Amino acid sequence: MGRMTRRVFAAAALSALAMTGDGASAAPGRPGGGPRASGEARGAAGGAVTDDMRGVWLATVANRDWPSRTGLSAAEQRAELIALLDAAVRRRLNTVIFQVRPAADALWPSPYEPWSQVLTGTQGGDPGWDPLGTAVAEAHARGLELHAWFNPLRVATHADLTRLTPTHPARRNPGWVVTYAGKLYYNPGLPEVRTFVRNAMLDAVEKYPVDAVHFDDYFYPYPVPGHSFDDDAAYDAHGGDFTNRADWRRDNIDRLVHGMATGIREVRPGTRFGISPFGVWRNAETDPRGSDTKALQTYDDLYADTRKWVRQNWVDYICPQLYFKAQRSDQPRLPASYTALAPWWAEVARGTRVQLCIGEALYKINTEGWSVEELTSHLDIASRYPEIKGHVFFAAREVYEDPKGAMTAVSEWWAR
């Protein structure tokens, strides 16, 4: 998240102490308590109160947003986390999507998987506190919803099983794992894998009053030229009802998603389920129901039928990552544009019970030199479609640092 000063640490820690003592207890209930009033107000604890989701992804994989590095003390980690929650309130946000299972590990004391190495630098190392429990309590104290973000199938961002802690389920069950393009993944074609990852994630739902469960865009891995996902044995054992492997893979992911939706309702009724897929389902040249794009397709390349999950109301919200520029009339045609995809997703969500939010690439202000006007133009476009009921920004480090005043501009747009 950049460099936070000791002064920031101290101020945030004092704020936490004043509000909740050690910060480990979970606040009861959901901060919104049901549908929010129309328009915008400020909650008593600070979070923006609106029908729309105004969210931020708080990524922990590879210490992307938090903690800023491994090995910080529990007090320093807690202070950094609180500073990010306070930044969300300042930017008129009402939802924090907190990555609590970045790679087959946990940011809570889990009986299924080891503590994440992003905390101490050692997988399985006890950080001496409960990050998820603290995040739920501190978010709720600020009028923020806390969505627990899980990556279902990523095991490691390297390809060496022996680097995992000896008790890791993937080391105990190497047949569950596929090596692909230098990384390790659980094989969703195995029923025992789908059962295990579902139970591992539901453990957090059972223990903490999270407002939602959130999946990101990683299902089968993004295709890498020259590499194949070796699931031959699983297909031979379990693919007999399918005429081709692609349909079988999509069914595996359907089972994972539908099973998680069912499990959430059973374990904690009222907790929502949301997914943030890559923004293109299929291109119109592939399928007439698809979008006016020429890009990677989740249906064909990640085996994720994201449109189906919305049309059949398997999820409570969908947050496609529309990390594309708006199409300008004076520029060459873009392979994929915000202008084309926002109305396409609005049409998909129309008539369903699924809330449509749009994932926004705030990080591209830094990485690709996007202008502030590019980001606010997305809000202008989205405002034309009543089905679009929110925006989520990637990611928390940029919300905190406010590059080029981008989030300040977004806050001002909302205040108009």
Side-chain angles (χ1 to χ4, degrees):
M1 70 178 66
R3 298 183 183 276
M4 287 192 178
T5 66
R6 293 281 180 179
R7 182 178 298 174
V8 171
F9 287 150
L14 287 171
S15 172
L17 184 62
M19 287 188 178
T20 59
D22 66 5
S25 61
R30 185 172 167 184
R36 296 189 174 98
S38 60
E40 180 182 340
R42 303 297 289 174
V49 179
T50 171
D51 287 330
D52 290 356
M53 184 187 299
R54 297 178 179 177
V56 58
W57 281 290
L58 201 170
T60 59
V61 64
N63 297 93
R64 200 276 177 197
D65 295 321
W66 176 88
S68 58
R69 60 180 174 84
T70 61
L72 297 177
S73 70
E76 289 172 325
Q77 291 177 5
R78 184 184 290 112
E80 284 195 357
L81 179 60
I82 289 169
L84 293 174
L85 297 178
D86 287 341
V89 173
R90 287 197 304 274
R91 306 303 179 203
R92 297 178 179 268
L93 304 183
N94 56 28
T95 303
V96 173
I97 301 173
F98 181 37
Q99 190 177 34
V100 299
R101 187 179 184 267
D105 50 17
L107 269 70
W108 75 96
S110 167
Y112 293 92
E113 293 175 312
W115 282 106
S116 178
Q117 66 183 22
V118 305
L119 299 169
T120 64
T122 302
Q123 190 174 66
D126 188 337
W129 68 301
D130 182 353
L132 176 53
T134 301
V136 172
E138 296 292 346
H140 287 179
R142 288 161 175 75
L144 299 166
E145 290 198 5
L146 196 289
H147 296 196
W149 165 15
F150 302 91
N151 184 289
L153 299 170
R154 180 168 55 211
V155 173
T157 55
H158 57 77
D160 186 356
L161 268 176
T162 65
R163 287 174 58 185
L164 303 178
T165 187
T167 59
H168 195 291
R171 287 192 66 174
R172 291 178 169 178
N173 302 278
W176 289 4
V177 180
V178 176
T179 302
Y180 179 81
K183 298 179 182 179
L184 301 175
Y185 299 89
Y186 280 132
N187 184 351
L190 298 174
E192 57 269 34
V193 164
R194 296 194 299 269
T195 297
F196 173 79
V197 298
R198 175 180 179 269
N199 290 340
M201 294 183 288
L202 286 175
D203 177 68
V205 180
E206 184 174 10
K207 289 176 176 175
Y208 305 98
V210 296
D211 299 288
V213 166
H214 186 92
F215 282 4
D216 54 31
D217 53 318
Y218 291 94
F219 295 99
Y220 280 88
Y222 278 80
V224 178
H227 296 267
S228 61
F229 191 86
D230 184 7
D231 55 1
D232 289 353
Y235 184 48
D236 289 343
H238 303 288
D241 293 336
F242 296 87
T243 59
N244 63 77
R245 192 176 306 215
D247 285 344
W248 171 72
R249 286 179 173 175
R250 276 186 288 273
D251 184 69
N252 295 331
I253 301 302
D254 280 352
R255 289 172 183 268
L256 176 66
V257 168
H258 190 267
M260 192 65 185
T262 300
I264 294 166
R265 288 195 300 269
E266 292 172 348
V267 169
R268 191 175 288 276
T271 293
R272 299 199 296 160
F273 183 30
I275 296 180
S276 60
F278 178 75
V280 177
W281 172 69
R282 299 190 95 184
N283 300 315
E285 64 182 13
T286 304
D287 187 319
R289 298 171 298 172
S291 52
D292 184 16
T293 51
K294 296 180 183 294
L296 179 142
Q297 305 168 104
T298 61
Y299 182 94
D300 301 274
D301 298 311
L302 307 182
Y303 307 98
D305 193 350
T306 55
R307 181 181 181 276
K308 176 181 179 180
W309 305 340
V310 175
R311 299 302 301 172
Q312 297 197 6
N313 294 293
W314 286 4
V315 293
D316 297 295
Y317 71 85
I318 194 83
C319 188
Q321 297 173 20
L322 301 195
Y323 295 175
F324 311 103
K325 285 189 171 183
Q327 180 67 61
R328 289 175 48 185
S329 59
D330 61 342
Q331 290 182 329
R333 185 66 172 268
L334 297 171
S337 71
Y338 197 98
T339 314
L341 285 162
W344 186 87
W345 277 103
E347 176 61 29
V348 169
R350 189 170 299 138
T352 72
R353 298 189 300 274
V354 178
Q355 179 181 2
L356 172 61
C357 309
I358 303 298
E360 303 286 355
L362 175 63
Y363 73 98
K364 289 192 176 184
I365 296 285
N366 282 332
T367 63
E368 297 186 20
W370 278 20
S371 67
V372 173
E373 291 72 25
E374 176 66 43
L375 200 62
T376 55
S377 75
H378 293 185
L379 304 183
D380 289 328
I381 293 168
S383 69
R384 303 170 194 164
Y385 304 98
E387 294 82 9
I388 297 177
K389 299 185 182 301
H391 300 265
V392 180
F393 295 86
F394 191 87
R397 181 173 65 201
E398 287 77 10
V399 166
Y400 180 86
E401 295 175 347
D402 196 24
K404 299 182 184 177
M407 282 307 297
T408 297
V410 167
S411 298
E412 291 172 350
W413 191 100
W414 280 331
R416 294 188 314 193

